[in-house]
């Protein structure tokens, strides 16, 4: 007969630590600083807003690292400042709906990472087209190769446009009712394992 797990004052801390560590690892995989993920996870789990000193002590990180990470989280709208009457310290809390903060993160990553890549890809495509046309006009022996390169680059640029369109569709759906309907439909789609 199996026994029920014994609870201790450390049980909650152990559960929190495991979630915080995993969220830090997930963040690192997404190209986000591990500490940013750990702070976000701590604030997500916390029942009340936390100040920077509490965060630094709980996660055993430096004040500077905490400050920089909080600034990033604020910029991504993943956390917010909370003002409690009578409290002099600045407190922070996380959005509790994962879809809402995920939506905000995707919107920010689109702005910072996807749009510049798509814009650069269009510039490269334009340059490749001009180079291919100039080689044609000059009767250059590399004209055929330049046209082939242009077609491949243009195909990739089209893919990047479609990728951005998918992100825009996700952002347009959002965390609202249509997003909930799509999440419900997704439960019935076979999963790739």
């Amino acid at each position: 007969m199996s026994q029920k797990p014994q609870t201790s004052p450390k049980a909650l801390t152990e559960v929190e630590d495991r979630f915080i560590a995993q969220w830090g690892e997930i963040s690192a995989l997404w190209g986000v600083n591990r500490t940013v993920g750990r702070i976000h996870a701590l604030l997500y789990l916390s029942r009340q807003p936390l100040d920077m000193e509490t965060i630094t002590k709980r996660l055993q990180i430096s004040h500077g690292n905490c400050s920089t990470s909080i600034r990033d989280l604020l910029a991504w709208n993943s956390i917010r400042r909370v003002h409690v009457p009578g409290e002099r310290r600045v407190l922070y809390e996380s959005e509790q709906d994962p879809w809402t903060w995920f939506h905000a993160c995707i919107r920010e990553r689109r702005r910072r990472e996807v749009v510049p890549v798509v814009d650069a890809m269009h510039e490269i495509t334009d340059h490749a087209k001009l180079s291919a046309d100039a080689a044609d006009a000059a009767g250059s022996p590399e004209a055929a190769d330049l046209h082939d390169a242009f077609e491949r680059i243009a195909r990739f640029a089209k893919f990047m446009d479609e990728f951005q369109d998918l992100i825009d569709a996700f952002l347009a759906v959002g965390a609202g009712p249509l997003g909930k309907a799509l999440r419900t439909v997704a439960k019935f789609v076979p999963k790739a394992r």
Side-chain angles (χ1 to χ4, degrees), residues 8-114:
S8 70
K10 295 180 182 179
L12 177 60
T13 301
E14 182 183 335
V15 167
E16 289 176 346
D17 285 349
R18 290 180 76 173
F19 180 80
I20 290 166
Q22 187 61 47
W23 194 244
E25 293 303 316
I26 291 168
S27 297
L29 289 172
W30 288 345
V32 176
N33 181 298
R34 184 175 276 111
T35 302
V36 170
R38 292 178 67 226
I39 291 171
H40 186 234
L42 175 63
L43 291 172
Y44 176 75
L45 290 176
S46 181
R47 290 182 176 173
Q48 67 271 343
L50 301 177
D51 63 277
M52 197 176 300
E53 183 179 339
T54 302
I55 295 168
T56 59
K57 285 181 183 176
R58 175 66 174 82
L59 298 178
Q60 300 177 357
I61 58 176
S62 72
H63 181 78
N65 193 0
C66 186
S67 178
T68 300
S69 297
I70 284 176
R71 249 192 327 261
D72 288 346
L73 287 163
L74 288 168
W76 287 46
N77 295 314
S78 295
I79 66 169
R80 60 186 158 268
R81 286 183 185 89
V82 178
H83 299 285
V84 176
E87 179 65 57
R88 296 178 71 190
R89 297 172 296 173
V90 178
L91 302 173
Y92 303 94
E93 68 181 5
S94 172
E95 169 62 52
Q96 290 299 297
D97 176 24
W99 280 105
T100 299
W101 52 256
F102 183 68
H103 189 267
C105 288
I106 295 297
R107 183 177 52 248
E108 188 61 22
R109 289 194 84 150
R110 177 198 181 278
R111 183 184 71 78
R112 289 185 184 186
E113 298 165 22
V114 175

Side-chain angles (χ1 to χ4, degrees), residues 95-169:
E95 169 62 52
Q96 290 299 297
D97 176 24
W99 280 105
T100 299
W101 52 256
F102 183 68
H103 189 267
C105 288
I106 295 297
R107 183 177 52 248
E108 188 61 22
R109 289 194 84 150
R110 177 198 181 278
R111 183 184 71 78
R112 289 185 184 186
E113 298 165 22
V114 175
V115 170
V117 169
V118 170
D119 290 346
M121 193 54 58
H122 284 287
E123 288 177 24
I124 294 166
T125 304
D126 293 344
H127 177 74
K129 175 72 170 139
L130 289 172
S131 296
D133 290 346
D136 260 348
S140 171
E142 62 181 358
D145 291 337
L146 281 166
H147 276 288
D148 183 57
F150 161 70
E151 288 172 14
R152 290 171 190 262
I153 292 168
R155 187 169 47 241
F156 190 78
K158 183 179 179 197
F159 161 76
M160 291 299 299
D161 287 336
E162 291 170 349
F163 179 71
Q164 185 172 344
D165 290 345
L166 286 172
I167 293 171
D168 292 343

